[in-house]
Amino acid sequence: MKIISSHPRPCSLNKFEVRDVFFPDDVMFNIFARLPVESLVRFKSVCKLWHKLISNKYFIQFYNDESWKKHIVLIKRWFGKNRFSSEFNLGFLDDNVMIRASSNGLLCCTSTTNPKAIYVCNPMTREFNYNVVFANFDPPYSSLLPMECLVFNSETSAWKIFGFDSSISQEHIANGQNRTVSVGRSLYWLTMSSKILVLDLYNEVWKKISLPYQIANKDPLQYLPIRVGRVIVSDWNLQKVDDSLRDEWVLTNKVRLASIGKELREPTFPITLNREFIFLRFFGDKQGVEKGT
Amino acid sequence: MASTSNSTSSKIITLRSSDGEVFEVEESVALESNLIRRMMEDDCANNIIPLPNVTAPIFYLVIEHCKKHAEMKDNKEKKKELRSQGEELLKSDPHTYSNLMEAVNYLDIKSLMDLTAQWLADFLKGKSPRLIRELLKIKNDFTPEEEAEILERNRWAFD
C-alpha cells in the first residue's frame, strides 16, 4: 500500500472521542455466538441492551443451531433387564454393544464383553469417542411427579438440578414406551396426557407443547412412541415434524416404514437422529442402520 | 492478496478516508472488502472511492490486519499470535478496537470480522459483568432489584 498524502502517520489513535464500545446487533450476535453458554447467561446482567440481545429469539435460535455442531447433550438411558437393550453389533466397532443413550445422532454404547468399555459413536460417520455432556434423567417407575432432571455440564464440571415447576407438575411422564429425547439444547418427554414436556436447557425453562393435530387424538402409549423431539412414529409411518418458533407443527416429511424394511419392529426405533438422518434399528440382522428422511 | 511478486502488475485502487487522506491499495487487498467490491461492480472503479465512515488511522489499521491475515494463512503459530493481540488492544485502547470493528463491519471484510469478533469474545469470556462494564465503559442501567432478580435466576452460571 502506498499512502499518497504527506501527513505524518499518527502514532496514537487516542485523539478519537471516547465512547462506549457499541456495535450493531448482528455484530454483537457474532461476538456472543462465540461464547460459552455460562458466559452468555452471566452477561445478561451487564446492561439492558445485552440482556435484550442475549434473550433475543433469533439469537437463541442461531446460537442453538451453532452449538448443535459443538455441543452434545447425552441422556443416560440404563435399561437393566429391559428386552430393548439387547446386544448388537454396530459393524464398525469391533465389539458387541448395548445402546445406553442417544442424542443428536450419536450413540452411547457399553461393551458386552468388556464391562469398562463405553463408546460414544456416530453411526453416520463411523467415528467414535467424543467430548460429551452427560445428562441424567431417571423417571421413577411409579411415574409420579415430582421428578427432577440432572444435567452435567462438562465446561463447569458441575451438576445442575432442574426441578419441575408448578405449571407442569401435573404432568405424568409416560413410562415404558417413553424415553428422554434430546434435540439441540432441549430435552423432551411424552406425558400421559399426550403433551410433550420440554426442558429448554438454554433458557432453563420447562414448557409444554401439544401434539400435532393429526395424531393428537390417538392413544399416545399405543401409537405415539415418541423417541425424538421432532420425530413421531405413528401408524407405521415415520413423520418428521418441526416445531417452529410459533410452536406450530409442520409436517416436513413422511415415510412409510414398510418401505424401509420388514424387520422393523415398532418399539425399537428410531434410535437417534440428527439434522439429516434418523437412525433406525433392524431386528433381523442386528445391525444399526441409518435412513435419510 | 498483498503478495509482493504480483504487486507491480496488479491493479491499484484509490480510496479516500473520511478525513481526506488518499490511499492506493492493491486491488486484491481492496477486494477483501465486500463494500468496495460492490462499489467497483457498480462502476466506481475509475474514480477515487470515498469511505465516509472510515478515518485514515483506522483504515491504516484495517489494511495492516488484512495483510497480516493473508500472511498467516496456513500458519497456525501466526494465527495464534494474531488472535492473542486482541486482548492487548482491548485492554489498552478499547476505543480504537471499537473504531476498527466498526470499520471492518462497514467495509464488510469477513476475515477481519471473524478475527475482531473473536478478539472481543476471548476478552469477555470468563470476566465478571462488573469488570466488563468497567473495562468497556458500559453503564449498568438495571435497578438493583432488576439486577438481583437476573442474578438469582441465573445463579448457576455465576458459581
Side-chain angles (χ1 to χ4, degrees), chain A residues 96-264:
Chain A
N96 279 359
V97 293
M98 287 193 210
I99 293 177
R100 298 301 191 177
S102 66
S103 169
N104 294 358
L106 297 184
L107 302 176
C108 178
C109 314
T110 53
S111 165
T112 55
T113 55
N114 175 0
K116 282 181 182 165
I118 296 178
Y119 304 99
V120 176
C121 55
N122 183 337
M124 214 19 240
T125 62
R126 305 184 158 231
E127 290 168 331
F128 45 95
N129 291 328
Y130 287 82
N131 290 323
V132 183
V133 178
F134 276 97
N136 181 14
F137 182 82
D138 285 324
Y141 279 91
S142 68
S143 84
L144 287 173
L145 296 174
M147 297 186 283
E148 53 189 23
C149 182
L150 284 165
V151 177
F152 184 75
N153 186 316
S154 64
E155 279 164 1
T156 59
S157 296
W159 288 89
K160 177 159 174 61
I161 299 172
F162 294 88
F164 283 154
D165 65 26
S166 54
S167 66
I168 49 123
S169 63
Q170 304 306 313
E171 295 297 337
H172 292 197
I173 301 290
N175 261 340
Q177 291 290 313
N178 198 61
R179 291 164 192 166
T180 308
V181 156
S182 150
V183 179
R185 285 218 155 191
S186 291
L187 307 181
Y188 298 79
W189 299 271
L190 179 67
T191 75
M192 298 289 274
S193 54
S194 299
K195 301 268 186 195
I196 296 170
L197 195 55
V198 187
L199 172 57
D200 180 339
L201 292 172
Y202 180 82
N203 290 312
E204 303 198 347
V205 290
W206 291 93
K207 281 189 297 192
K208 247 189 308 192
I209 53 179
S210 299
L211 291 170
Y213 72 91
Q214 295 97 324
I215 45 180
N217 294 324
K218 296 181 179 172
D219 176 359
L221 286 185
Q222 201 169 352
Y223 292 102
L224 293 174
I226 293 180
R227 301 284 192 270
V228 278
R230 296 177 204 172
V231 174
I232 286 180
V233 177
S234 162
D235 292 335
W236 297 93
N237 286 319
L238 196 62
Q239 307 187 355
K240 192 164 177 233
V241 268
D242 267 324
D243 58 322
S244 68
L245 286 173
R246 290 162 297 150
D247 277 345
E248 284 172 13
W249 292 93
V250 180
L251 181 65
T252 56
N253 210 333
K254 197 169 173 175
V255 176
R256 277 193 66 77
L257 290 174
S259 68
I260 299 172
K262 278 184 226 157
E263 300 90 341
L264 284 173

Side-chain angles (χ1 to χ4, degrees), chain B residues 48-114:
Chain B
I48 295 179
I49 298 178
L51 301 171
N53 290 354
V54 187
T55 60
I58 294 298
F59 190 67
Y60 188 77
L61 265 184
V62 169
I63 297 292
E64 283 296 285
H65 279 95
C66 267
K67 285 183 176 165
K68 275 189 200 163
H69 197 267
E71 283 168 22
M72 76 173 197
K73 255 179 199 168
D74 312 320
N75 186 335
K76 273 191 178 166
E77 281 304 305
K78 278 204 169 171
K79 224 175 225 179
K80 256 191 191 163
E81 198 185 305
L82 201 53
R83 186 168 164 176
S84 66
Q85 283 172 3
E87 174 91 21
E88 212 174 294
L89 178 64
L90 271 153
K91 255 189 196 150
S92 62
D93 195 351
H95 309 296
T96 296
Y97 169 80
S98 173
N99 288 328
L100 177 63
M101 181 64 141
E102 271 171 357
V104 165
N105 187 42
Y106 167 72
L107 291 167
D108 195 359
I109 305 172
K110 173 128 198 342
S111 59
L112 288 196
M113 195 67 210
D114 284 344

Side-chain angles (χ1 to χ4, degrees), chain B residues 7-153:
Chain B
S7 61
T8 45
S9 59
S10 83
K11 204 177 159 191
I12 297 294
I13 308 293
T14 313
L15 304 154
R16 188 172 55 230
S17 64
S18 65
D19 43 356
E21 205 158 318
V22 177
F23 294 79
E24 283 191 338
V25 182
E26 286 161 36
E27 187 180 39
S28 59
V29 177
L31 286 181
E32 285 285 297
S33 157
N34 288 320
L35 177 83
I36 295 173
R37 182 188 291 273
R38 283 192 297 271
M39 284 170 123
M40 289 178 62
E41 281 164 7
D42 292 346
D43 200 25
C44 303
N46 295 327
N47 306 314
I48 295 179
I49 298 178
L51 301 171
N53 290 354
V54 187
T55 60
I58 294 298
F59 190 67
Y60 188 77
L61 265 184
V62 169
I63 297 292
E64 283 296 285
H65 279 95
C66 267
K67 285 183 176 165
K68 275 189 200 163
H69 197 267
E71 283 168 22
M72 76 173 197
K73 255 179 199 168
D74 312 320
N75 186 335
K76 273 191 178 166
E77 281 304 305
K78 278 204 169 171
K79 224 175 225 179
K80 256 191 191 163
E81 198 185 305
L82 201 53
R83 186 168 164 176
S84 66
Q85 283 172 3
E87 174 91 21
E88 212 174 294
L89 178 64
L90 271 153
K91 255 189 196 150
S92 62
D93 195 351
H95 309 296
T96 296
Y97 169 80
S98 173
N99 288 328
L100 177 63
M101 181 64 141
E102 271 171 357
V104 165
N105 187 42
Y106 167 72
L107 291 167
D108 195 359
I109 305 172
K110 173 128 198 342
S111 59
L112 288 196
M113 195 67 210
D114 284 344
L115 178 71
T116 47
Q118 193 61 53
W119 277 355
L120 188 53
D122 289 346
F123 180 74
L124 296 175
K125 194 159 59 183
K127 289 196 169 63
S128 72
R130 184 195 297 248
L131 186 60
I132 285 168
R133 279 187 223 120
E134 196 179 300
L135 291 169
L136 301 184
K137 299 190 169 56
I138 295 171
K139 192 175 174 292
N140 180 2
D141 50 4
F142 290 114
T143 65
E145 292 78 29
E146 285 171 335
E147 192 179 352
E149 199 201 319
I150 294 168
L151 293 185
E152 179 56 34
R153 216 184 306 142

Side-chain angles (χ1 to χ4, degrees), chain A residues 5 9 20 45-46 48 204, chain B residues 21 95 133 137 141 156:
Chain A
S5 68
R9 180 107 333 266
D20 294 349
S45 67
V46 168
K48 283 184 177 169
E204 303 198 347
Chain B
E21 205 158 318
H95 309 296
R133 279 187 223 120
K137 299 190 169 56
D141 50 4
W156 66 278

